[in-house]
Amino acid sequence: MPKTNNKIFLNKKIYVEELKKIVKKENILSHEDELKPYETDGLSAYKEIPMAVVLPENTDEVSKVLRYCNEKNIKVVPRGAGTGLSGGALPLKDSILLGLGKFNKILDIDYGNRCVVVQPGVTNLSITKAVENKGFYYAPDPSSQIACSIGGNVAENSGGVHSLKYGTTTNNILGLEVVFMDGSISRIGGKTFDTDGYDLLGLITGSEGLLCVITEVTVKILNKSQSAKAALVGFSSIEDAGNCVSQIIASGIIPAGMEMMDQLLIKATDDFVKAGYPREAEAMLIIELDGTELEVKELMNRVVEIAKKNKSLNIKISKDDNERIKFWAGRKAAFPACGAMSPDYYCMDGTIPRGKLAEVLTEIKRLSKKYNLKVANAFHAGDGNLHPLIMYDANDIESLNKTEKFGAEILKYCVKVGGILTGEHGVGVEKRELMCEMFNNNDIQQQIKIKKSLDKNSLLNPGKVYPILRKCAEEGRVHVHGGKTKFPDIPRF
Ligand SMILES: Cc1cc2nc3c(=O)[nH]c(=O)nc-3n(C[C@H](O)[C@H](O)[C@H](O)COP(=O)(O)OP(=O)(O)OC[C@H]3O[C@@H](n4cnc5c(N)ncnc54)[C@H](O)[C@@H]3O)c2cc1C
């Protein structure tokens, strides 16, 4: 983590009093008991108590808070709902945590332009809830959608089971209002499909709270398809299931969702929600097709044919919408079901080329034996996004250390086979040291130059995403001579 600025910490009382002049008194939390709930996010392995939590209620307050912190050199960590799985919203001891929870209003529903304008603290699911009575929905559907905020979704470029066909957050937003660290407010995009100039929407989506604070989001909404059906397909091997996935895509069919689970997770989730999964199967696919009734029927026939060619053990097709939703309920409960099998689980998030699935799973099995830790596997199989869930005990420091090493080895292997470190959960603190696996010196330097052009003093969510140079240097990945790099701009945390 970045070095703690003790001077800032010593002046905490003064800063808290000053911030109380910007936001309502009751929206500043500084007592240890009030700060405790904010000490971590969904990656509960790391914890830190911030100097204070500030809960602004409007953009003007955000702007004033950021300007004040910029002047006083105070670090700021933005936070949505805190469901992130890579430690992105993890506070720093000498930072304020800027909670966007009070930004929870839907500002405009515009069916004519097929969009909804929302504040960043609105939950993902409540956007769909607000428009479903008119037959619309918001497509990206992370499994955490009941809790996670749309601001967090933009910051992480979140996806979900339907991203294969409908894209991730970046494909489903039109406009943003953002506040930069110097307090300036900008509008990017709007209600139209394209804007002039650089694709700043693309730059900010996935920026993990390092470039700006998002204070408003305009999302696209889609018409619900006339019909949707899901198939549960069991296989006796991961290889067969993986081949089936590749062949479905190669045949030109893009399912609305195509998810895979391994046997451990099939049983665990079926115990959890009684979804009628094929418990004897080594691997199972959930394949959803949507469109007109005729289209779905025709495509489902072709999917069944491909599944049979790939030695499927059994195929169950949803009879109605209730059954289809039940099929998905198991997949959506994959993480809680893991929680029922082990005191803690560590969810990895690598992405690989689809054809490498069987190879990577074989490696994960080998590593599971090496580290003597159980793993359950869930994948957004259609997009090659793996979620190995390593089961461990966070109270046992040795178990935690082993788990982190195991996770890092999985992600390194993903990169080795042509994949990437993260599919949707972001880099945060968790994968920061692995960035040198993906990017060279120049790549990282260019990215940091962009950050510094928007946040000169590196005060917005510092210590996230970019590696601590010393570690990369030790591994020979960046060149440090006499304690100096060729790149003085790279922060030396
Ligand atoms: C059970 C479970 C299932 C999950 N399933 C999925 C899944 O299927 N797909 C998926 O993509 N993710 C999934 N996640 C991860 C997580 O829900 C997403 O990353 C989500 O987008 C985080 O949103 P949040 O509001 O909780 O953000 P937080 O955790 O609060 O923050 C995440 C990051 O965004 C930044 N941030 C938050 N709000 C703002 C803002 N307004 N302005 C600037 N920066 C901001 C923070 O600084 C941090 O870096 C899952 C998590 C859990 C616990």
Side-chain angles (χ1 to χ4, degrees), residues 343-373:
D344 296 281
Y345 63 87
Y346 186 39
C347 174
M348 304 312 298
D349 170 44
T351 297
I352 53 166
R354 272 187 290 268
K356 297 286 181 184
L357 204 59
E359 177 186 336
V360 175
L361 284 178
T362 308
E363 177 64 7
I364 294 176
K365 252 191 206 164
R366 187 188 72 78
L367 292 169
S368 168
K369 280 200 191 118
K370 173 176 159 187
Y371 286 100
N372 195 22
L373 289 167

Side-chain angles (χ1 to χ4, degrees), residues 164-365:
L164 172 62
K165 185 166 180 182
Y166 296 105
T168 56
T169 305
T170 193
N171 309 109
N172 287 278
I173 61 166
L174 294 169
L176 294 175
E177 178 192 73
V178 299
V179 185
F180 294 105
M181 195 61 212
D182 64 2
S184 56
I185 302 169
S186 274
R187 284 202 161 267
I188 299 163
K191 290 185 174 182
T192 54
F193 270 18
D194 196 10
T195 52
D196 299 330
Y198 297 126
D199 179 12
L200 295 178
L201 267 188
L203 176 68
I204 286 166
T205 311
S207 60
E208 302 195 30
L210 267 72
L211 300 183
C212 57
V213 174
I214 299 152
T215 47
E216 190 187 287
V217 187
T218 303
V219 303
K220 286 184 208 169
I221 47 171
L222 303 178
N223 256 134
K224 247 183 111 187
S225 348
Q226 189 193 78
S227 163
K229 281 208 177 293
L232 289 183
V233 190
F235 294 89
S236 59
S237 76
I238 297 269
E239 285 80 359
D240 290 342
N243 289 337
C244 183
V245 168
S246 298
Q247 285 174 28
I248 288 172
I249 301 285
S251 76
I253 300 170
I254 304 290
M258 184 150 57
E259 297 287 304
M260 193 192 293
M261 291 198 263
D262 70 1
Q263 192 177 45
L264 191 54
L265 211 51
I266 297 170
K267 286 187 177 155
T269 51
D270 199 48
D271 285 343
F272 211 68
V273 297
K274 312 273 177 279
Y277 288 170
R279 299 173 68 93
E280 70 292 354
E282 274 294 318
M284 180 192 82
L285 293 178
I286 309 176
I287 306 166
E288 180 166 301
L289 299 163
D290 65 358
T292 62
E293 265 177 39
L294 198 65
E295 197 182 352
V296 171
K297 198 171 161 203
E298 162 63 21
L299 291 178
M300 191 56 91
N301 288 339
R302 285 172 57 197
V303 163
V304 167
E305 223 174 89
I306 296 170
K308 282 183 179 160
K309 267 194 205 146
N310 284 287
K311 302 181 257 180
S312 57
L313 293 175
N314 38 46
I315 303 174
K316 195 193 274 182
I317 296 168
S318 59
K319 287 191 282 296
D320 51 31
D321 247 18
N322 283 341
E323 194 171 33
R324 181 178 65 82
I325 289 163
K326 202 167 164 194
F327 286 0
W328 281 116
R331 170 61 187 89
K332 296 242 173 190
F335 294 2
C338 252
M341 287 191 283
S342 159
D344 296 281
Y345 63 87
Y346 186 39
C347 174
M348 304 312 298
D349 170 44
T351 297
I352 53 166
R354 272 187 290 268
K356 297 286 181 184
L357 204 59
E359 177 186 336
V360 175
L361 284 178
T362 308
E363 177 64 7
I364 294 176
K365 252 191 206 164

Side-chain angles (χ1 to χ4, degrees), residues 443-460:
D443 300 335
I444 291 181
Q445 195 214 13
Q446 293 302 344
Q447 292 182 34
I448 290 174
K449 274 186 184 163
I450 295 173
K451 163 150 177 80
K452 291 205 121 192
S453 71
L454 299 172
D455 171 21
K456 204 168 65 185
N457 304 316
S458 284
L459 292 172
L460 204 49

Side-chain angles (χ1 to χ4, degrees), residues 41-42 77-85 87-89 100 120 141-144 147-161 208-210 212-215 331 335-336 345 380 387 424-425 461:
D41 63 0
V77 177
R79 176 182 168 111
T83 67
L85 292 171
L100 279 305
D141 55 346
S143 302
S144 52
C148 64
S149 75
I150 192 72
N153 290 179
V154 174
E156 296 288 11
N157 189 20
S158 296
V161 296
E208 302 195 30
L210 267 72
C212 57
V213 174
I214 299 152
T215 47
R331 170 61 187 89
F335 294 2
Y345 63 87
H380 300 308
H387 288 322
E424 54 186 19
H425 296 168
N461 218 1

Side-chain angles (χ1 to χ4, degrees), residues 385-434:
N385 184 197
L386 314 182
H387 288 322
L389 297 145
I390 306 173
M391 284 172 255
Y392 75 107
D393 181 356
N395 291 322
D396 170 359
I397 189 74
E398 201 192 319
S399 165
L400 172 63
N401 289 341
K402 267 198 320 182
T403 302
E404 285 184 328
K405 282 192 187 140
F406 183 0
E409 282 210 53
I410 294 176
L411 294 179
K412 284 181 187 174
Y413 202 80
C414 290
V415 175
K416 189 175 155 201
V417 300
I420 54 173
L421 292 175
T422 169
E424 54 186 19
H425 296 168
V427 177
V429 174
E430 182 202 29
K431 306 179 194 91
R432 183 182 59 185
E433 305 310 336
L434 295 170

